[in-house]
Amino acid sequence: MDDLVKFLVARIMDDNHAYAYVADTLGGEALLDSHLPMLDLTEQLAHDYKAMDPSDSRSAGLAYALRVLAQSYAEHPAYQQEWRP
């Protein structure tokens, strides 16, 4: 699961860099309808999972949620099919 979390955070960082480029190039208004807030929430979930004790009853549900969120990057060459929920 650690590899999945690292993969997901790396993809979020890539997306954030792409949005920063768009904002610098086209202006901040270009991001009004972006999914930046969703990226931030997904990154927070990944950090919460890393900090969570494995015995926490919520860890299984959070792991499943991260697997579902990672599917949006399934076309990325580093995505591993065993991460599918």
Side-chain angles (χ1 to χ4, degrees), residues 49 52 56-65:
Y49 181 82
M52 188 177 287
D56 190 314
S57 62
R58 300 170 297 163
S59 66
L62 186 50
Y64 181 80

Side-chain angles (χ1 to χ4, degrees), residues 3-83:
D3 289 342
L4 170 71
V5 172
K6 288 177 188 175
F7 170 83
L8 192 54
V9 170
R11 300 297 66 78
I12 291 167
M13 296 306 295
D14 289 346
D15 285 348
N16 280 329
H17 290 297
Y19 278 116
Y21 174 78
V22 168
D24 287 344
T25 304
L26 302 174
E29 291 80 27
L31 301 180
L32 290 177
D33 293 328
S34 73
H35 67 279
L36 280 173
M38 184 62 164
L39 291 175
D40 291 342
L41 292 172
T42 302
E43 185 175 21
Q44 184 60 49
L45 288 175
H47 291 300
D48 289 350
Y49 181 82
K50 288 188 334 190
M52 188 177 287
D53 190 277
S55 65
D56 190 314
S57 62
R58 300 170 297 163
S59 66
L62 186 50
Y64 181 80
L66 292 173
R67 289 174 184 273
V68 169
L69 291 166
Q71 281 187 296
S72 62
Y73 300 103
E75 298 302 317
H76 191 277
Y79 182 82
Q80 298 176 23
Q81 291 302 315
E82 64 263 17
W83 292 338

